[in-house]
Amino acid sequence: MGLTKTQIFNERQNSLASLFKVLAHPARIAILQYISNQRGCICNDIVAEIGLAQPTISQHLKELKSAGLITGEIEGKKVCYCIDLERWKEIQTLLNTFFEKTQFNCC
């Protein structure tokens, strides 16, 4: 969708679409699931767990971090990744609001 087309939609619709776009890749879902079960993890840990190449994992981490879904803290030469709980609460509110206002009354 071109940048000019997003202007015809409201902010919440654009926010949800951007979020779903980031979550649309199964590797990112796997990374989020792995990180959510750790106290913190390093990119190499994720590479070993997921089984993709390090540059591929790094690209997915970059997308997740850009969306605010994860945070990364530098520990020496390594970056430790964690779920951004504040952002997850915002996402939960966005989704709850979406489904609360949606009426499922079709056939």
Side-chain angles (χ1 to χ4, degrees):
M1 183 177 331
L3 290 176
T4 56
K5 295 293 184 184
T6 60
Q7 295 172 351
I8 65 173
F9 302 104
N10 67 42
E11 184 179 342
R12 185 175 30 207
Q13 290 167 333
N14 284 313
S15 293
L16 282 171
S18 294
L19 172 66
F20 290 149
K21 183 177 178 181
V22 171
L23 294 175
H25 199 290
R28 294 183 193 143
I29 299 297
I31 290 168
L32 288 170
Q33 286 176 321
Y34 179 72
I35 292 173
S36 70
N37 291 315
Q38 309 300 314
R39 287 191 168 264
C41 54
I42 310 301
C43 183
N44 290 340
D45 298 339
I46 301 168
V47 169
E49 178 68 23
I50 305 297
L52 296 173
Q54 187 275 325
T56 303
I57 294 291
S58 292
Q59 184 61 38
H60 287 304
L61 289 168
K62 179 182 173 186
E63 292 293 327
L64 292 168
K65 192 169 180 185
S66 292
L69 300 174
I70 61 173
T71 60
E73 294 182 17
I74 298 173
E75 293 181 357
K77 294 183 178 182
K78 299 177 181 177
V79 180
C80 180
Y81 293 97
C82 299
I83 298 291
D84 184 334
L85 295 177
E86 284 297 315
R87 178 69 172 133
W88 278 102
K89 289 177 186 175
E90 291 172 17
I91 292 167
Q92 185 177 21
T93 300
L94 268 174
L95 289 172
N96 287 339
T97 302
F98 175 77
F99 285 111
E100 286 172 358
K101 292 185 178 186
T102 302
Q103 295 181 6
F104 299 98
N105 60 359
C106 63
C107 22

